[in-house]
Amino acid sequence: MKPRDRLRIAMQKSGRLTEPALELLNRCGLTFRQSRDKLFCFGEGEPVDLLLVRDDDIPGLIAQGVCDLGIVGRNVLNEYRLTGGLAGPALAEWRPLGFGRCRLSVAVPQELDYRDASQLQGQRIATSYPGLLGEWLRERGVDASVVTLAGSVEIAPRLGTADAICDLVQSGGTLVANQLREADVLLESEAVLAGPQALPSDERGDMIELLLKRLDGVIQVRESRLLLLQTSRGALDAVIRLLPGGPQPTLLPVAGQPDQLMLQALCAGEVSWRQLEEIKKAGAREMFVLPVEKMLA
Ligand code: PRT
Ligand code: ZN
């Protein structure tokens, strides 16, 4: 294979997305040898290499064709789509990856009684996302002045350089510490697999398809839980009605207790304490929720 016949994936060099992204790729059967400069990692088994960069550079690297795919926050990808300005192929979000979840939100001083975006008319809003904020304001017919800052956006109101901010929020702790409160959500974000809108028509396209299939399998298993419980035959219908989505459960007899059944169900997604408590109230007992390691249907 010629070197550029190999697939190249861009991901964050060091930050919130680095560890979960690498773990996900490992689970897809991709392992890498770390180079001394730690920028380029050669793929060991499959013809897939990694480029470790700042997250903000990832969409541009895909648009320029330097990388075929990237793992990046939806917030960064969508901001690039609005402000990138590079004449490259249109970028697409191919898969949501389920980590790095956060919101891009407008936050205002705690004492302000926020009702809707019209209150931002004529205000100065500090952000690192001028494209997404500008579009959101335009859609609402609000004329505000967008103050673009590279970082430390949350202290702008205290410094008097802005009246409100638009920034990423996860727990909300940073906002509280700066006497701000989340007022409106512009975007629900998480890490995504980004790539050009059309697959390349060579071996790299085939490799991407293979990778997407593995990724789908890994994501499905990661989000699956096996629920085991015991129930009486009388309560069975009520228990089944409360089971979180998934294929039909399997029922097994319980030795020496003809009225009892053991139920096994594959659930798509987390099973919360609250759901368990509801199912128990309906008549279930001896409940177990187990993670699924591998699945071959
Ligand atoms: O060096 P490089 O440019 O690559 O890193 P970076 O500093 O730009 O990125 P990094 O590692 O901070 O974040 C990478 C991506 O993680 C972001 O683009 C988001 O998609 C995602 N993400 C998830 C977050 C957060 N959660 C998050 N909480 N990114 C940033 N934050 C910051 C936010 O900006 C604010 O300052 O954390 C603070 C808010 O957190 P809470 O919990 O106090 O609300
Ligand atoms: Zn960044």
Side-chain angles (χ1 to χ4, degrees):
M1 262 190 181
K2 294 197 297 294
R4 199 55 188 112
D5 289 344
R6 298 175 65 86
L7 206 65
R8 203 177 283 161
I9 304 179
M11 59 167 262
Q12 196 183 22
K13 183 172 196 263
S14 126
R16 288 167 209 263
L17 306 183
T18 307
E19 220 184 278
L22 204 55
E23 200 208 310
L24 185 67
L25 294 175
N26 288 161
R27 281 179 168 266
C28 290
L30 305 180
T31 51
F32 305 93
R33 218 173 33 222
Q34 227 178 37
S35 64
R36 213 169 295 150
D37 64 5
K38 295 200 174 146
L39 185 71
F40 184 85
C41 302
F42 187 80
E44 289 180 314
E46 308 285 354
V48 182
D49 304 321
L50 272 189
L51 204 60
L52 302 180
V53 294
R54 290 201 55 188
D55 65 345
D56 316 76
D57 295 336
I58 293 173
L61 288 167
I62 303 168
Q64 291 163 43
V66 176
C67 294
D68 304 290
L69 297 170
I71 295 178
V72 66
R74 181 178 294 136
N75 49 300
V76 172
L77 177 65
N78 288 5
E79 179 68 16
Y80 179 86
R81 282 163 157 172
L82 292 169
T83 56
L86 246 175
L91 298 187
E93 180 183 316
W94 281 2
R95 293 293 186 276
L97 300 177
F99 58 87
R101 285 187 212 273
C102 56
R103 309 176 289 283
L104 180 67
S105 295
V106 166
V108 298
Q110 261 161 10
E111 62 279 8
L112 187 85
D113 178 23
Y114 181 90
R115 287 177 309 279
D116 61 52
S118 68
Q119 283 163 280
L120 299 169
Q121 179 74 26
Q123 303 280 296
R124 296 162 304 162
I125 312 174
T127 190
S128 308
Y129 296 87
L132 287 165
L133 175 60
E135 182 188 52
W136 185 82
L137 291 168
R138 257 191 318 282
E139 282 168 4
R140 282 155 187 78
V142 175
D143 190 13
S145 113
V146 174
V147 181
T148 305
L149 299 178
S152 303
V153 169
E154 64 278 1
I155 59 167
R158 264 199 293 161
L159 297 178
T161 51
D163 306 299
I165 68 164
C166 169
D167 200 6
L168 299 176
V169 181
Q170 198 199 29
S171 66
T174 303
L175 294 184
V176 172
N178 288 280
Q179 287 112 50
L180 297 168
R181 108 188 137 74
E182 196 171 359
D184 234 327
V185 177
L186 280 66
L187 176 75
E188 296 279 352
S189 186
E190 66 187 280
V192 302
L193 183 74
Q197 222 137 42
L199 285 184
S201 53
D202 54 14
E203 294 108 322
R204 279 182 293 158
D206 299 340
M207 192 60 217
I208 291 176
E209 274 187 51
L210 183 83
L211 184 60
L212 287 176
K213 281 202 195 105
R214 288 192 190 177
L215 201 56
D216 289 341
V218 168
I219 291 171
Q220 197 188 352
V221 163
R222 189 181 59 191
E223 290 173 358
S224 295
R225 298 287 181 276
L226 191 68
L227 174 62
L228 301 176
L229 57 83
Q230 267 195 41
T231 174
S232 65
R233 288 181 188 272
L236 184 61
D237 285 347
V239 166
I240 287 183
R241 261 197 302 280
L242 290 172
L243 294 180
Q248 278 296 311
T250 309
L251 299 170
L252 304 164
V254 177
Q257 298 182 59
D259 181 45
Q260 291 289 311
L261 287 169
M262 164 98 185
L263 180 151
Q264 169 184 308
L266 190 68
C267 305
E270 287 283 350
V271 183
S272 69
W273 280 109
R274 192 153 293 180
Q275 283 170 319
L276 282 183
E277 285 151 8
E278 289 294 313
I279 298 170
K280 190 170 163 106
K281 248 189 251 161
R285 57 194 185 89
E286 303 285 333
M287 306 173 73
F288 295 91
V289 181
L290 309 173
V292 178
E293 164 83 19
K294 285 195 180 71
M295 196 159 64
L296 194 61

